[in-house]
Amino acid sequence: MVKIVGIGGSLRPNSSSYQALDVAIRRVQALGAETQVLDLRQMQLPFCNGEKEYPDYPDVIRLREAVQEADGLILATPEYHGSVSGVLKNALDLMSFDQLSGKVTGLISVLGGQSNSNALNDLRVIMRWVHGWVIPEQVAIGQSWKAFDKDGKLLDDQLSQRFDQFAESLVENTRKLRGVS
Amino acid sequence: MVKIVGIGGSLRPNSSSYQALDVAIRRVQALGAETQVLDLRQMQLPFCNGEKEYPDYPDVIRLREAVQEADGLILATPEYHGSVSGVLKNALDLMSFDQLSGKVTGLISVLGGQSNSNALNDLRVIMRWVHGWVIPEQVAIGQSWKAFDKDGKLLDDQLSQRFDQFAESLVENTRKLRGVS
Amino acid sequence: MVKIVGIGGSLRPNSSSYQALDVAIRRVQALGAETQVLDLRQMQLPFCNGEKEYPDYPDVIRLREAVQEADGLILATPEYHGSVSGVLKNALDLMSFDQLSGKVTGLISVLGGQSNSNALNDLRVIMRWVHGWVIPEQVAIGQSWKAFDKDGKLLDDQLSQRFDQFAESLVENTRKLRGVS
Amino acid sequence: MVKIVGIGGSLRPNSSSYQALDVAIRRVQALGAETQVLDLRQMQLPFCNGEKEYPDYPDVIRLREAVQEADGLILATPEYHGSVSGVLKNALDLMSFDQLSGKVTGLISVLGGQSNSNALNDLRVIMRWVHGWVIPEQVAIGQSWKAFDKDGKLLDDQLSQRFDQFAESLVENTRKLRGVS
């Protein structure tokens, strides 16, 4: 059964990135995927210092094991300064080809201003660098403060349809590329 | 007098990024610039959580004040996974337009494999996003393990000349753009 | 006196890129710049074949001479397939460091859908490659079919202010960087 | 049977891009793919003017039909000014989602100087824009003047192995993603 792991790049308590990630995760679940969210707000990760081992931080192993066992990934980042958040990039830096290579990835970005694809473009090249796949369908949510209602539901129908296409493409193509059901 | 602040994006004790930064800093000093290096290995910075204030981390204020008072910046990053390190991106995320806008920036990247400009391209767009200037001259050091001798001197003459051009452009054009001497 | 040359990347008779370029050109004129527009729709340029000379195409020389004599450039491109138009990239390919190096450049993109900075990002890296400067201020016009009135005037005040900032930055900083008045 | 179409972005008579494309095409043939090379040097294509039809240029239809019938693409471009050639971008501009969406693409770049992935990164984002897939394996050939012998064979074994991995990934994953044999 296809396994999808989601990671959000924000540490805000009330993060729109995690709201968007939750929407996406629920939709890939509905399509039969087994899912896990790694909530960086509840994990203790160090800054990457280029070392392989971080004995004081068992969450590094938890991060690596969960990603290694996954077939696919969802990366949801706030767009900070026109790129991926340092928080998410650092989490990726803590991993290597061992965990990331060959994974099929869907990308989501969230920003307060006008929608943009800068963070998504950077993440696409980053995931390629570690020999991952990135699906063509991607979601950039501009003016994110008005995207969700109080229960975390999407308010815009077109955006909701984009999430459907995103989830379908991720699940279907991860199955094809990874040969899992 | 033109003030240049250098920041390195590595936390390795024996970091090539800081070696490269030191070379660049010495050369801009020789051209009459006042310089300061913010060594992230000796600062306690939190992960950016989107908040403005980090009362438990006085180094955030130190970082912001030093950058705010600068005319120019040198950003030296290891290239991790084909982009800027999460460590450096996070340091930039902790700042805003207040500190970064209008700064004249020179970019350096260091990587173990074949030289590449991915991290430099991403940083160029990031610094533009915060309305900074980035000089055309940039330095990407491939196979960095053989770039420096034991005293941190560059072993390759062509690379050394690139640092000269980099330093000259940074100092001269920061003076022009900022109207300082 | 500061000289600014504008080039548009569209061949449409009724091109929004040229409308945007005209707005920008008029504003840099009002700031005292000498201007020239190279209208690719009225020039006969060949596809770049990697050769230096194109004896059958005198407009190649016209293009090169005008750019070589300029202090600054405005490049206005339609965003096709998430990047600069092939038409504009080809015009740049016909030039070299001799013409482009050191030029101070302002970038504009125009697209039918939602605004995006992909074409601007690519142009920024391209102009850096030839050792040009690119100002931080840039203009991306989304849904361009409703941006201008019948006389080519901008309908949106905020966008008009962006053009003002763009023109001021281009003229002022070209003067500073090139030492012209 | 999986169909792969190759397009080169150079108009040089003795183009390294086409030499690289030929190497790749032969290897995907050996893996059972049906192939076709669209040699832009022997086609009459206009500059894209934003129109759908180009009645004076039957090669536009030939280009579109060949790409539309393909399952996968190989795009080989010279890196001009740190990006894709205007010639190749223009050929892509002449096509639309109808031809390009869903195609599985492998990317190759060729340059005279030090190897770089700028053109490949731009092409990756361009192909994503039209909802194509791009395989993680890519080939950037630096110092291309010494890459091939007189018969167009690769002189470097490591580079030759990269082409093997490229061809295997393209054929295998096009089969998976497109459901063809």
Side-chain angles (χ1 to χ4, degrees):
Chain A
M1 194 166 146
V2 63
K3 288 185 198 170
I4 307 280
V5 164
I7 307 176
S10 169
L11 298 183
R12 278 182 197 269
N14 203 6
S15 154
S16 305
S17 302
Y18 275 98
Q19 286 183 300
L21 181 58
D22 286 345
V23 170
I25 284 287
R26 263 184 240 125
R27 299 198 186 182
V28 301
Q29 278 175 346
L31 296 165
E34 192 184 318
T35 65
Q36 182 181 0
V37 170
L38 295 169
D39 190 332
L40 299 185
R41 298 170 298 184
Q42 294 167 17
M43 295 172 77
Q44 296 295 324
L45 292 178
F47 285 107
C48 174
N49 61 12
E51 293 298 316
K52 288 200 179 162
E53 306 300 334
Y54 295 83
D56 298 341
Y57 292 91
D59 278 349
V60 173
I61 293 169
R62 206 179 127 220
L63 170 73
R64 289 174 179 171
E65 286 183 350
V67 171
Q68 190 148 357
E69 287 169 16
D71 297 298
L73 301 175
I74 302 175
L75 302 179
T77 187
E79 184 165 305
Y80 287 161
H81 298 345
S83 187
V84 58
S85 71
V87 166
L88 181 56
K89 183 55 171 49
N90 183 69
L92 295 171
D93 292 347
L94 291 168
M95 293 183 277
S96 69
F97 276 63
D98 293 343
Q99 289 84 43
L100 297 166
S101 177
K103 298 300 149 76
V104 185
T105 311
L107 304 175
I108 299 169
S109 76
V110 161
L111 66 167
Q114 206 177 11
S115 166
N116 205 294
S117 49
N118 286 14
L120 299 175
N121 293 347
D122 288 357
L123 273 172
R124 186 168 292 273
V125 170
I126 289 165
M127 285 306 301
R128 203 293 315 171
W129 190 267
V130 292
H131 281 223
W133 288 83
V134 186
I135 63 171
E137 290 75 17
Q138 62 187 23
V139 183
I141 305 176
Q143 302 182 298
S144 57
W145 46 275
K146 62 178 188 185
F148 301 94
D149 71 11
K150 289 178 186 173
D151 303 322
K153 278 192 189 165
L154 287 169
L155 290 166
D156 183 66
D157 273 351
Q158 280 199 322
L159 187 55
S160 181
Q161 284 167 27
R162 254 184 108 86
F163 270 89
D164 281 336
Q165 293 158 355
F166 175 89
E168 280 162 26
S169 173
L170 183 59
V171 173
E172 180 185 334
N173 291 301
T174 304
R175 283 178 173 139
K176 288 180 180 173
L177 286 167
R178 305 276 296 184
V180 290
S181 62
Chain B
M1 193 165 144
V2 62
K3 287 185 199 170
I4 307 281
V5 164
I7 307 176
S10 169
L11 298 183
R12 277 183 198 270
N14 203 5
S15 154
S16 305
S17 302
Y18 276 98
Q19 286 183 299
L21 181 57
D22 286 345
V23 169
I25 284 286
R26 264 184 238 125
R27 299 199 187 183
V28 301
Q29 278 175 346
L31 295 165
E34 192 183 319
T35 65
Q36 182 181 0
V37 170
L38 295 169
D39 190 332
L40 300 185
R41 297 169 299 183
Q42 294 166 15
M43 295 172 76
Q44 296 295 325
L45 292 178
F47 284 106
C48 174
N49 61 10
E51 293 298 316
K52 287 199 179 163
E53 305 301 333
Y54 295 83
D56 298 341
Y57 291 90
D59 278 348
V60 173
I61 293 169
R62 208 179 126 219
L63 171 73
R64 290 173 178 171
E65 286 182 350
V67 171
Q68 190 148 359
E69 287 169 17
D71 297 298
L73 302 174
I74 301 175
L75 302 179
T77 188
E79 184 166 305
Y80 288 160
H81 298 345
S83 187
V84 59
S85 72
V87 166
L88 181 57
K89 183 54 170 53
N90 183 70
L92 295 171
D93 291 348
L94 290 168
M95 294 185 276
S96 69
F97 276 62
D98 293 343
Q99 289 85 43
L100 296 166
S101 177
K103 298 301 149 77
V104 185
T105 311
L107 303 175
I108 300 169
S109 76
V110 161
L111 65 167
Q114 205 176 9
S115 166
N116 205 293
S117 50
N118 286 16
L120 299 174
N121 293 348
D122 289 358
L123 274 172
R124 186 168 292 273
V125 171
I126 289 165
M127 286 306 302
R128 203 294 314 174
W129 190 267
V130 292
H131 282 222
W133 288 83
V134 186
I135 64 170
E137 291 75 18
Q138 63 188 22
V139 183
I141 305 177
Q143 302 183 300
S144 58
W145 46 274
K146 62 179 188 184
F148 301 93
D149 71 11
K150 289 177 185 172
D151 303 322
K153 279 192 188 163
L154 287 169
L155 289 166
D156 183 66
D157 273 352
Q158 281 199 321
L159 186 56
S160 182
Q161 284 168 28
R162 255 183 107 86
F163 271 87
D164 281 338
Q165 293 159 355
F166 175 89
E168 280 162 25
S169 174
L170 182 60
V171 172
E172 180 184 336
N173 290 300
T174 304
R175 283 181 173 135
K176 288 179 181 174
L177 287 167
R178 305 276 297 184
V180 291
S181 62
Chain C
M1 195 165 143
V2 63
K3 286 185 200 171
I4 307 281
V5 164
I7 308 176
S10 169
L11 298 183
R12 276 182 198 270
N14 203 6
S15 154
S16 304
S17 302
Y18 275 98
Q19 286 183 300
L21 180 58
D22 285 346
V23 169
I25 283 286
R26 264 185 236 125
R27 299 199 186 182
V28 301
Q29 277 175 346
L31 296 165
E34 191 184 318
T35 64
Q36 182 181 0
V37 171
L38 294 169
D39 190 332
L40 300 185
R41 298 170 296 184
Q42 294 166 17
M43 294 171 78
Q44 296 295 323
L45 292 178
F47 285 107
C48 174
N49 61 12
E51 293 298 316
K52 287 199 180 164
E53 306 301 333
Y54 295 83
D56 297 341
Y57 291 90
D59 278 349
V60 173
I61 293 169
R62 208 179 126 218
L63 170 74
R64 289 175 178 171
E65 285 183 351
V67 171
Q68 190 148 358
E69 287 169 16
D71 297 298
L73 301 175
I74 301 175
L75 302 180
T77 188
E79 184 166 305
Y80 288 161
H81 298 345
S83 186
V84 57
S85 72
V87 165
L88 181 56
K89 182 56 170 49
N90 183 69
L92 295 171
D93 291 347
L94 290 169
M95 293 184 277
S96 70
F97 276 63
D98 293 343
Q99 288 85 45
L100 297 166
S101 178
K103 297 302 148 76
V104 185
T105 312
L107 303 176
I108 300 169
S109 75
V110 161
L111 64 167
Q114 206 176 8
S115 166
N116 205 293
S117 50
N118 286 15
L120 299 175
N121 293 348
D122 288 357
L123 273 173
R124 185 168 293 272
V125 170
I126 289 165
M127 284 307 300
R128 203 297 313 175
W129 190 266
V130 292
H131 282 224
W133 288 83
V134 186
I135 64 171
E137 290 75 17
Q138 63 188 22
V139 183
I141 306 176
Q143 303 182 298
S144 58
W145 46 275
K146 62 178 188 184
F148 301 94
D149 70 10
K150 288 178 186 173
D151 303 322
K153 280 193 188 164
L154 287 168
L155 290 166
D156 182 66
D157 273 351
Q158 280 199 322
L159 186 56
S160 182
Q161 284 167 26
R162 253 183 110 83
F163 270 89
D164 281 337
Q165 293 159 356
F166 175 88
E168 280 161 26
S169 174
L170 182 59
V171 172
E172 182 185 332
N173 291 301
T174 304
R175 282 179 173 137
K176 288 180 180 172
L177 286 167
R178 305 275 298 184
V180 289
S181 62
Chain D
M1 194 164 145
V2 63
K3 286 185 200 172
I4 307 282
V5 164
I7 308 176
S10 169
L11 298 183
R12 278 183 198 269
N14 202 6
S15 154
S16 305
S17 302
Y18 275 98
Q19 286 184 300
L21 180 57
D22 285 346
V23 169
I25 284 287
R26 263 184 238 125
R27 299 201 185 180
V28 301
Q29 278 175 345
L31 295 165
E34 191 183 319
T35 64
Q36 181 181 2
V37 170
L38 294 169
D39 190 332
L40 300 185
R41 297 171 298 184
Q42 294 166 16
M43 294 172 77
Q44 295 295 323
L45 293 177
F47 285 107
C48 174
N49 61 11
E51 294 297 316
K52 287 200 178 163
E53 306 301 333
Y54 295 83
D56 298 341
Y57 291 90
D59 278 348
V60 173
I61 293 169
R62 208 180 124 217
L63 171 74
R64 289 174 178 171
E65 286 183 351
V67 171
Q68 190 148 358
E69 287 169 15
D71 298 297
L73 301 175
I74 302 175
L75 302 179
T77 187
E79 185 166 305
Y80 288 160
H81 299 344
S83 186
V84 58
S85 71
V87 165
L88 181 56
K89 183 55 171 48
N90 183 70
L92 295 171
D93 291 348
L94 290 169
M95 293 184 277
S96 70
F97 276 63
D98 293 343
Q99 289 84 46
L100 296 166
S101 178
K103 298 301 149 75
V104 185
T105 311
L107 303 176
I108 299 169
S109 76
V110 161
L111 65 167
Q114 208 176 7
S115 166
N116 206 293
S117 49
N118 286 16
L120 299 175
N121 294 348
D122 289 357
L123 273 173
R124 185 168 293 272
V125 171
I126 290 164
M127 285 307 301
R128 202 296 312 174
W129 190 266
V130 291
H131 282 225
W133 287 83
V134 186
I135 64 171
E137 291 75 16
Q138 63 188 22
V139 183
I141 305 176
Q143 303 183 299
S144 58
W145 45 275
K146 63 178 188 186
F148 301 94
D149 70 10
K150 289 178 186 171
D151 303 322
K153 280 193 188 164
L154 287 168
L155 289 166
D156 183 66
D157 273 351
Q158 281 200 321
L159 187 56
S160 182
Q161 284 168 25
R162 253 183 110 85
F163 270 89
D164 281 337
Q165 292 158 355
F166 174 90
E168 280 162 26
S169 174
L170 183 59
V171 172
E172 181 184 335
N173 290 301
T174 304
R175 282 180 174 136
K176 289 180 180 172
L177 286 167
R178 305 275 297 184
V180 289
S181 62

